[in-house]
């Protein structure tokens, strides 16, 4: 079948059901949203504060993931060493782990009495839990696998002959990576970054467990939504819609600009 | 192609509808074999034990529990979750269910009191409530939206203290975890949580806790699929046997 002639029903029907499955819960939010009180609810400083914190921490977490994740993906895709399979499955651990468990694990390592955190506290007087830095760490921990897997996939799909050609012409491995590999896999890196950012933005369990919840310091939008749900479900719906609208707007803008 | 899909799908569809019918035909008392109890997370240990003795006393009955934050449970009930009994950690959450005309005559069966929990060894040397306001003492509280946070706020106001917590946790167990891991120096949690945590935390009583007593109401739900069993279970919750169990766990019971 040629592209552009419409999908066969064996694909179109499940595709439509799949789309409905994803979109219907969103419709539920829109139907139940308290539209009349929306403006005054949005103007509350607590909402803007949580939104700002969410955007800043998700962006910082994505930056951390890019700096650490792209090299990790390269090592997994381009080098051979014993135990590489094990390393690859270890990378996916944060995806399988319930985020709350991830948060507890982070506390056990980076907390005030944690394996590493204990020394940070003794040597530098740094305690991570309950700080914005802890929010970034928790989000990066949960989001990193999404970036690594996407970029590794892009690296495997990229034609190795370009890299080989550059190498035979005398380029060092670093130069090859910088000048050939990275431009080749740029769409993959971007897709991974977007996935990573989205996951970080929605992060709840690891954040509330490792970083705690304090307005202006560690209370991101998902945390604010969860607590609002306890007493004021309408406020929770408003907060969810704000988070959704902002993230969809940012992702659409990115897509138009970077992915044709 | 379409025909083949239909022949494949039809038996599955039939199986589904028969299963659905089987599920809804249990209105006679003899068929009430499952009792579904929605209960506050702080009742996990005591209610599980009560459930076991209920099953032992009533042949062929299985008690299913859904433990969680009272507010979440209340919402699930008002959204139509098929529960028989609701036991809440605060009158306010029971009220949301009663407001929807779904709870029948809630009765208070226990109450719970706040205590200061400190990690074993009390590293920050917390002696009394006022110490929580000291600079350098890291304090975890429950968020105001959940019952333990509302109680903490009341107690703090009664004492006229200004406490700046490092975190406002989503429920009392999460608050306690911060203490057991030693990430905070003190937290306000329920007496029952301090007892359940064993020797990992130490509890300090304080007078203002009396101003923030939390009552636990229990009720049979209006749309209970197993109403008779539900009534029996509530009777058990109000019995002397249950009272002994609750007292041992740290709850205050009314004589």
């Amino acid at each position: 079948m040629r592209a552009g002639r419409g999908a066969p029903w064996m694909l179109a029907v499940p595709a439509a059901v799949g789309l409905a499955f994803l979109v219907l819960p969103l419709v539920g939010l829109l139907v139940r949203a308290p539209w009349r009180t929306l403006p005054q609810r949005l103007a509350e400083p607590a909402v803007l504060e949580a939104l700002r914190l969410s955007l800043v921490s998700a962006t910082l977490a994505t930056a951390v993931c890019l700096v650490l994740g792209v090299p990790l993906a390269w090592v997994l895709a381009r080098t051979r060493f014993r135990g590489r399979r094990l390393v690859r499955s270890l990378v996916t651990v944060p995806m399988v782990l319930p985020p709350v468990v991830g948060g507890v694990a982070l506390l056990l390592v980076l907390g005030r009495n944690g394996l590493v955190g204990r020394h940070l506290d003794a040597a530098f007087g740094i305690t991570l839990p309950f700080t914005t830095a802890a929010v970034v760490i928790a989000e990066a921990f949960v989001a990193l696998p999404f970036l690594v897997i996407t970029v590794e996939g892009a690296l495997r799909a990229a034609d190795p002959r370009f890299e080989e050609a550059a190498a035979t012409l005398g380029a060092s491995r670093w130069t090859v990576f910088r000048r050939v590999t990275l431009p080749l896999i740029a769409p993959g890196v971007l897709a991974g970054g977007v996935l990573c950012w989205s996951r970080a933005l929605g992060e709840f369990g690891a954040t509330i467990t490792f970083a705690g919840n304090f307005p202006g310091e560690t209370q991101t939008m998902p945390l604010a939504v969860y607590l609002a749900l306890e007493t004021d479900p309408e406020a929770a719906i408003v907060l969810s819609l704000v988070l959704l609208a902002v993230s969809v707007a940012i992702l659409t803008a990115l897509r138009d600009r970077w992915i044709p | 192609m379409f025909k083949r899909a239909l022949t494949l799908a039809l038996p599955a569809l039939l199986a589904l509808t028969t299963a659905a019918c089987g599920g809804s035909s249990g209105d006679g008392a003899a068929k009430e074999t499952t009792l579904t109890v929605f209960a506050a997370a702080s009742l996990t240990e005591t209610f599980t034990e009560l459930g076991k003795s209920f099953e032992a006393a009533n042949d062929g009955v299985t008690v299913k529990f859904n433990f969680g934050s009272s507010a979440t449970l209340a919402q699930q009930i008002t959204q139509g979750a098929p529960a028989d009994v609701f036991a809440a950690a605060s009158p306010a959450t029971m009220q949301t269910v009663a407001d929807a005309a779904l709870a029948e005559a809630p009765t208070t069966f226990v109450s719970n009191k706040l205590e200061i929990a400190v990690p074993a060894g009390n590293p920050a040397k917390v002696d009394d409530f006022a110490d929580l306001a000291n600079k350098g003492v890291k304090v975890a509280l429950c968020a105001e939206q959940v019952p333990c946070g509302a109680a903490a706020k009341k107690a703090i106001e009664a004492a006229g203290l200004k406490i700046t917590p490092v975190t406002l946790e989503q429920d009392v167990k999460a608050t306690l975890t911060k203490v057991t891991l030693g990430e905070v120096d003190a937290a306000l949690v329920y007496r029952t949580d301090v007892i359940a945590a064993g020797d990992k935390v130490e509890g300090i009583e304080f007078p203002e806790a009396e101003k923030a007593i939390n009552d636990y109401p229990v009720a049979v739900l209006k749309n209970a699929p197993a109403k008779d069993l539900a009534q029996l279970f509530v009777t058990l919750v109000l019995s002397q046997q249950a009272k002994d169990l609750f007292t041992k766990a740290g709850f205050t019971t009314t004589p």
Side-chain angles (χ1 to χ4, degrees), chain B residues 46-240:
Chain B
T46 46
F47 264 48
T48 306
E49 206 156 315
L50 283 180
K52 275 190 205 135
S53 57
F54 191 75
E55 282 174 358
N58 298 278
D59 236 5
V61 172
T62 324
V63 184
K64 269 197 337 199
F65 286 110
N66 179 14
F67 293 112
S69 133
S70 301
T72 309
L73 297 176
Q75 236 164 65
Q76 289 172 350
I77 292 168
T78 51
Q79 296 297 321
D84 295 304
V85 176
F86 180 37
S90 75
T93 43
M94 179 59 85
Q95 196 56 46
T96 28
V97 177
D99 284 347
L102 290 172
E104 291 176 353
T107 319
T108 298
F109 62 105
V110 285
S111 59
N112 212 345
K113 206 161 71 169
L114 289 177
E115 241 177 47
I116 302 165
V118 298
N122 195 357
K125 307 267 171 288
V126 173
D127 289 324
D128 55 23
F129 199 21
D131 284 351
L132 300 198
N134 287 352
K135 249 196 149 125
V137 176
K138 283 192 178 177
V139 178
L141 299 177
C142 294
E144 250 175 61
Q145 291 91 334
V146 294
C148 58
K153 191 182 174 206
K154 245 195 249 172
I156 290 168
E157 276 168 6
L161 289 173
K162 187 160 166 34
I163 295 174
T164 311
V166 290
T167 179
L168 300 163
E169 295 287 318
Q170 81 269 34
D171 61 48
V172 67
K173 295 286 180 198
T175 312
L176 186 72
T177 303
K178 297 291 194 288
V179 182
T180 50
L181 291 176
E183 293 302 332
V184 295
D185 302 313
L188 290 186
V189 297
Y190 294 124
R191 202 170 111 80
T192 51
D193 299 303
V194 173
I195 290 175
D199 48 15
K200 275 185 246 149
V201 306
E202 296 169 18
I204 301 166
E205 291 186 39
F206 62 101
E208 289 81 2
E210 300 294 342
K211 303 260 167 61
I213 301 277
N214 215 8
D215 289 333
Y216 284 52
V218 64
V220 173
L221 294 170
K222 192 147 210 165
N223 300 330
K227 210 163 217 169
D228 299 344
L229 279 178
Q231 197 57 58
L232 267 178
F233 188 81
V234 170
T235 312
L236 174 68
V237 169
L238 298 168
S239 70
Q240 189 57 45

Side-chain angles (χ1 to χ4, degrees), chain A residues 71-144:
Chain A
L72 182 53
W74 186 87
V75 167
L76 286 176
R78 287 288 188 269
T79 62
R80 298 190 163 277
F81 55 90
R82 278 174 70 90
R84 192 177 57 160
R85 278 194 188 171
L86 179 69
V87 172
R88 187 179 294 135
S89 52
L90 284 178
V91 165
T92 58
V93 161
M95 290 172 103
V96 186
L97 215 59
V100 176
V101 179
V104 173
L106 285 173
L107 272 180
L108 293 176
V109 173
L110 297 172
R112 195 161 68 157
N113 295 324
L115 293 174
V116 177
R118 194 183 310 159
H119 303 295
L120 281 179
D121 191 12
F124 309 104
I126 299 174
T127 50
L128 286 170
F130 317 121
T131 61
T132 307
V135 177
V136 175
I137 291 172
E139 290 181 349
F141 175 75
V142 173
L144 185 55

Side-chain angles (χ1 to χ4, degrees), chain A residues 12-24:
Chain A
V13 171
V17 172
L19 185 66
F21 180 50
L22 291 177
V23 172
L24 273 179

